Structures are given as structure tokens and as C-alpha cells.
Amino acid sequence: MEYFFANLPDDFTHLLKVNMQSSGKNFSELSGHIIERRGMYLLFRQIFKDVDTSGNVEKVLKSAGWHGIRDRFSCLYIENLINGEYPSSVKTGNCYGILGFEDLLKPFAIGGYSRGFLLGFYLKMSSIEQNLLGKSTSSSNFYIDDVLEILRLSSARTVKIDLLVILIKHLIYFLGLDVLKGHIANGEKYEQIYEKLSEEQKLLMVNNFLAYGSSINEKEIFVMDHV
């Protein structure tokens, strides 16, 4: 299991990490965030010219909503990575896998945040980057059925569902699903389970968290407790 650094657009990934509930305050902050970043705003005007030719962010927000803006931007960045240039219009099909990935995690995530989507976006972009470098990548990182089994053991929700998923994937990879279930059934916290790993396993996990954390520009990358 290996995670790679992916060159993700910081201006966009920042939005996926903050609370974007459908309230006037957050939508106002979103509008300012886009307009103040000239490159992002020019892309915004290009991909939403079918909604408003003047580039009025508030008008597009009312029409497409935050998720509509988020999804088009993510598809735009994916197409740019694949083709080496930004398209004049966006093909939303590139996002279907990410949306499905996010839907699986929604029952365990706090609403308003797009961190499940962020993890899916990272996995997609990282896979494309590695393929462009001539390196084959495994699709197993997108497989989370076993992770969902662990998440269902608790009724709690978390903001940083992406970090929790990565943590659980590693623990399953190292210990096995049934063993991990047993530790959790015994009331052990993730920090306690982590201490059962070998130094080599801990190093691999740390390196993978660092790769992901640096890709999304986040320093706090560990989740070591029940959430």
C-alpha cells in the first residue's frame, strides 16, 4: 500500500476542507475566495458561462449550489491533468467515481464538509499522475467496503472522514479485518491499536499520511482516537 504526493490545486482543496453549509455566511466567503484569486476566477467564468456570462458568483451559487461549483471545478482539474490544458467546457463524467465514493462515506461524516470528496479527488488525481509517469497504480485504495464495516461499528460522525478512512485502511492492511474488529469490540482506541504495529508498519503509515497531508496542504494528519 503506497500513497503518492499529488500536485493538487490549493485554492480548490481549501474549499473542500471547510464548512460549506448552505448559509449566507459561508456562501459569501466562497464568493470572496473565488473572486480574490484571479486564476480561479477566470476558470470559474469559463466553466460557468452557460449559467451567467458576466461571471457573477452569487448568481451561479443560487443556480448550481456549492456542490455544482465543486463538481465542475474538480472535473476541470482532472481534464487539465489528463489533456494538458483546460477545456472550454467540462465533462462531468470524470467525477462520477468521486461522487459515488463520497456517497459511501456520507453516513459517517459531518454535513457541510467535503472531505470524503477530497479523498476521492486526491485518489483520482494521484492515480492519473502516476499513470502519466508510466507507473501502474492499484485501484484498491478506492475499495472501502471493509472500511465501511469498521465505520458501522460506531454511530459517531467525524469532520475528517478522509483521515479516518486512511487510518482504518492501514490497520486492516496490517492486522486484518477480523482482528481489527476484535480490538475495537474490546474497547481499544485507535491510538492503542496503532501501538501494536511494527516499526516498519508505522513508518509506512506515516509516509503515506505525509504524502496525503502534503497533497492537500494540511499539517494535522493523524486521527488516533474513536471519532
Side-chain angles (χ1 to χ4, degrees):
M1 178 186 292
E2 186 174 7
Y3 286 65
F4 301 93
F5 170 77
N7 188 21
L8 305 183
D10 287 342
D11 290 342
F12 177 61
T13 57
H14 170 76
L15 295 175
L16 302 180
K17 294 184 288 183
V18 299
N19 189 350
M20 295 301 299
Q21 285 281 15
S22 300
S23 66
K25 178 182 178 182
N26 286 312
F27 275 156
S28 175
E29 293 174 358
L30 172 60
S31 178
H33 180 90
I34 293 174
I35 293 173
E36 291 167 7
R37 290 157 177 80
R38 179 172 174 78
M40 191 176 196
Y41 183 51
L42 289 174
L43 291 174
F44 175 88
R45 295 194 62 164
Q46 176 65 27
I47 61 177
F48 285 102
K49 60 181 183 293
D50 61 319
V51 179
D52 181 66
T53 56
S54 69
N56 187 312
V57 179
E58 295 294 338
K59 184 175 180 180
V60 174
L61 275 170
K62 290 179 181 178
S63 175
W66 154 236
H67 282 178
I69 291 177
R70 179 197 72 175
D71 297 350
R72 281 205 197 185
F73 261 116
S74 63
C75 290
L76 176 76
Y77 292 123
I78 290 170
E79 287 191 54
N80 176 61
L81 180 58
I82 293 173
N83 300 317
E85 60 182 8
Y86 289 109
S88 58
S89 61
V90 173
K91 299 176 182 178
T92 56
N94 284 326
C95 296
Y96 290 157
I98 301 174
L99 292 171
F101 184 83
E102 179 188 37
D103 284 342
L104 292 174
L105 296 174
K106 279 183 178 179
F108 315 102
I110 292 177
Y113 296 87
S114 291
R115 296 198 65 121
F117 186 94
L118 173 59
L119 177 56
F121 180 65
Y122 159 79
L123 292 172
K124 180 81 170 183
M125 294 285 281
S126 175
S127 176
I128 295 171
E129 284 189 357
Q130 293 304 308
N131 288 334
L132 290 173
L133 292 172
K135 301 177 182 178
S136 60
T137 57
S138 172
S139 60
S140 62
N141 285 340
F142 270 104
Y143 176 80
I144 56 170
D145 286 359
D146 49 359
V147 174
L148 296 176
E149 287 192 45
I150 298 298
L151 290 173
R152 293 189 187 107
L153 297 176
S154 171
S155 60
R157 292 171 178 250
T158 180
V159 169
K160 297 186 177 182
I161 187 64
D162 52 338
L163 302 188
L164 183 57
V165 167
I166 294 174
L167 173 63
I168 293 173
K169 281 189 70 69
H170 280 81
L171 294 178
I172 292 174
Y173 179 72
F174 295 140
L175 304 174
L177 179 60
D178 291 338
V179 172
L180 179 57
K181 280 184 175 181
H183 287 311
I184 294 175
N186 290 333
E188 295 182 51
K189 297 182 178 181
Y190 287 122
E191 183 176 7
Q192 294 172 297
I193 301 172
Y194 170 80
E195 291 302 326
K196 299 178 185 295
L197 303 180
S198 68
E199 292 304 313
E200 183 178 355
Q201 290 170 333
K202 290 178 181 178
L203 179 60
L204 175 59
M205 182 188 290
V206 167
N207 286 338
N208 284 339
F209 266 113
L210 287 173
Y212 178 67
S214 58
S215 298
I216 67 170
N217 195 23
E218 181 164 278
K219 297 178 181 178
E220 185 182 344
I221 57 174
F222 286 100
V223 178
M224 290 300 182
D225 204 344
H226 286 296
V227 184

